[in-house]
């Protein structure tokens, strides 16, 4: 897996001050995508053990609320394989920090059901994610007033509640964001 960028003080992609990693590779090819260079799985820098250590270190200050994964597409199958061990370590090391993940795939229809994204890593990866921003970017629904997402079709989902109840639960702070 490659990544395009790691932000260590990101306030735009999730609640609070966050560490964000933009992974490379995306097969959605949404019209109007703001990040087209990241469609290429070979874009950017190889993700290594040093990258993982750098992320864990960046998460250590108390004021860092958690980790955000963006892309590209974190849920492309090759990226899931690489991200799963990172998420395990983040949750082991910092059980009180949260994980947000942005995906063009739909939580209920694609990540929880057969699709080109779903694979042997998907269920476990979802266990480590607190908040999922799902759905492709739709240019005709673009709204710059929306918090944490680009177009109004995208949902901010409370993953733990959704998995527990068996239906999509939106993040409870959404209306206050
Ligand atoms: S899912 Fe995100 S990175 Fe991929 S094409 Fe759509 S907007 Fe771009």
């Amino acid at each position: 897996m490659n990544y395009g960028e790691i932000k260590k003080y990101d306030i735009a992609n999730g609640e609070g001050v966050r560490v964000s990693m933009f992974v490379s590779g995306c097969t959605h090819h949404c019209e109007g995508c703001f990040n087209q260079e990241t469609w290429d799985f070979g874009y950017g820098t190889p993700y290594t053990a040093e990258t993982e250590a750098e992320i864990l270190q960046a998460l250590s200050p108390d004021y860092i609320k958690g980790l955000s994964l963006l892309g590209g597409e974190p849920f492309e199958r090759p990226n899931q394989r690489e991200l799963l061990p990172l998420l395990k370590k983040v949750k082991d090391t910092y059980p009180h920090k949260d994980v947000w993940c942005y995906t063009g795939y739909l939580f209920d229809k694609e990540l929880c059901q057969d699709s080109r994204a779903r694979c042997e890593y998907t269920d476990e990866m979802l266990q480590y994610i607190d908040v999922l921003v799902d759905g492709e970017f739709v240019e005709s629904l673009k709204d710059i007033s929306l918090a944490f997402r680009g177009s109004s079709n995208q949902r901010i989902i409370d993953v733990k509640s959704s998995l527990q109840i068996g239906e999509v639960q939106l993040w409870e702070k959404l209306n206050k964001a």
Side-chain angles (χ1 to χ4, degrees), residues 51-135:
T51 318
E52 181 186 275
E54 181 186 346
I55 290 171
L56 288 168
Q57 177 63 34
L59 283 165
S60 66
D62 286 344
Y63 59 82
I64 296 291
K65 178 96 171 46
L67 173 70
S68 293
L69 298 174
L70 307 96
E73 172 57 78
F75 272 95
E76 297 298 1
R77 289 181 178 186
N79 291 343
Q80 291 186 49
R81 188 180 58 231
E82 300 287 328
L83 290 171
L84 183 54
L86 169 67
L87 293 185
K88 274 186 194 166
K89 282 195 186 159
V90 167
K91 284 294 185 179
D92 279 351
T93 314
Y94 305 110
H96 301 301
K97 301 206 185 224
D98 60 13
V99 173
W100 282 51
C101 183
Y102 284 71
T103 177
Y105 294 109
L106 294 173
F107 170 72
D108 44 344
K109 297 198 172 70
E110 294 179 292
L111 297 183
C112 295
Q113 294 184 35
D114 280 350
S115 71
R116 72 175 198 267
R118 188 168 164 79
C119 64
E120 67 262 49
Y121 309 111
T122 311
D123 282 337
E124 195 176 356
M125 193 158 147
L126 287 170
Q127 302 286 334
Y128 297 118
I129 293 170
D130 297 283
V131 177
L132 188 78
V133 184
D134 85 338

Side-chain angles (χ1 to χ4, degrees), residues 26-30 32-36 38-39 71-73 103-104 135-137 154:
C26 180
T27 59
H28 295 286
H29 297 188
C30 309
C33 170
F34 61 97
N35 233 352
Q36 288 194 17
T38 69
W39 295 0
E73 172 57 78
T103 177
E136 293 186 351
F137 172 69
Q154 294 170 318

